[in-house]
Amino acid sequence: MNTAAYFDALYQQADPFHYRSRWYEARKRALTLACLPRPRYTNAWELGCSNGVLTAELAARCDALLATDINQQALAEAAGSVSDCPHVTLQRAHHPGQWPPGRFDLIVVSEVGYYLDAGELQQMALQLDDSLAEDGLLLACHWRHPFDEARSTTENVHRLLRGGLLEAFNYQDEDLVLQAWSRQPTSVATWEGLR
Ligand SMILES: C[S@@+](CC[C@H](N)C(=O)[O-])C[C@H]1O[C@@H](n2cnc3c(N)ncnc32)[C@H](O)[C@@H]1O
C-alpha cells in the first residue's frame, strides 16, 4: 500500500494516533514545546500535522504557522483543532514533491520522517535547508522503535535532517528522540543576556 492510501485507510478512524487521549502523546508535546529556545516564532511550519493537536499548541507560540499534511481527512480534523487560530494556515501537500515557498524560523518534523524512504529524505533534507531561515530552528521528534510502515529508521531520519547544522538540543529516552538543529548557536542564556 502506498503512503497516501495507508493514511486514507487510517483516517477512517477518529484520532488514530490517540493524540487526544494518551499521556505518552501529551507528554511528548509538552517536551517539544518546553525545549523550544525562543518564546515566540515569527513564521513556523509543521510538516505532517495530522489532526492538529500539536499544531494548536505550537500556534500559541507563533505569529504565523503553516501546517501541512498529505491527508484531507486529517486536515479537516485539524481545521477543528485550530478553529480559533486565524494565524494558522492548513494546506494539503505530499512532501517532498510538493513544497511551500518561503523561509521559516521554526520547522517541526514530528513523527513523519520515517514514512519517507532514503531518497525522499535526502531530497527533503536539502529542501528543508533552503526553507530554514538564517536564525531558524529545525526540530525533529520520532518514535525510536521499528514498526511495519516505517521506510527509514529514526536514526537515519535524524542524521539526514541534521546535515551540516549545529545541534541546539537533544533529548532521548527509551521511546523517543527529540532533537533540534540551527545555523547559529541558540543559547537561551546568551539570548536573554544572562551571560
Ligand atoms: C504520526 S502523524 C504526526 C502528527 C504530528 N506531527 C505529531 O507529531 O503530533 C504523521 C502525519 O504525517 C502525514 N504524512 C505522512 N507522510 C507525509 C508526506 N510525505 N507528506 C505530508 N504529510 C505526510 C500523515 O498523513 C500523518 O497525518
Side-chain angles (χ1 to χ4, degrees):
M1 197 187 291
N2 69 31
T3 306
Y6 167 72
F7 284 106
D8 283 347
L10 194 72
Y11 282 110
Q12 298 296 310
Q13 314 159 50
D15 196 15
F17 297 102
H18 306 278
Y19 292 134
R20 299 187 198 285
S21 53
R22 276 198 183 130
W23 164 242
Y24 178 87
E25 297 296 340
R27 171 183 176 266
K28 182 160 52 98
R29 287 192 300 277
L31 286 168
T32 300
L33 273 288
C35 284
L36 292 177
R38 301 290 173 261
R40 290 201 68 77
Y41 292 87
T42 306
N43 189 32
W45 174 23
E46 182 194 2
L47 286 77
C49 64
S50 183
N51 56 358
V53 179
L54 175 60
T55 319
E57 295 188 21
L58 288 169
R61 300 273 295 275
C62 301
D63 296 338
L65 173 62
L66 171 67
T68 53
D69 202 285
I70 196 175
N71 186 272
Q72 194 54 54
Q73 180 59 31
L75 288 166
E77 289 179 30
S81 303
V82 297
S83 58
D84 57 348
C85 303
H87 60 300
V88 176
T89 303
L90 299 172
Q91 219 167 74
R92 189 173 189 178
H94 187 166
H95 307 308
Q98 295 171 315
W99 205 254
R103 294 185 94 201
F104 303 88
D105 59 349
L106 174 65
I107 301 179
V108 175
V109 184
S110 176
E111 310 290 3
V112 61
Y114 39 48
Y115 294 116
L116 281 72
D117 66 26
E120 292 170 320
L121 273 174
Q122 273 159 358
Q123 190 187 335
M124 187 153 108
L126 289 174
Q127 293 174 192
L128 282 170
D129 192 55
D130 284 344
S131 299
L132 190 67
E134 211 39 50
D135 62 348
L137 187 81
L138 172 61
L139 179 149
C141 181
H142 292 90
W143 174 249
R144 297 180 73 183
H145 308 291
F147 61 101
D148 288 349
E149 296 77 24
R151 298 162 85 192
S152 295
T153 63
T154 284
E155 196 184 335
N156 275 340
V157 171
H158 283 233
R159 185 178 54 77
L160 287 170
L161 292 184
R162 176 180 184 162
L165 297 171
L166 301 173
E167 186 173 84
F169 59 79
N170 181 349
Y171 170 80
Q172 296 194 29
D173 61 28
E174 216 177 312
D175 301 315
L176 68 92
V177 51
L178 169 62
Q179 279 180 294
W181 310 279
S182 59
R183 301 186 201 287
Q184 303 169 359
T186 52
S187 161
V188 177
T190 301
W191 184 74
E192 267 209 320
L194 293 174
R195 68 180 179 100

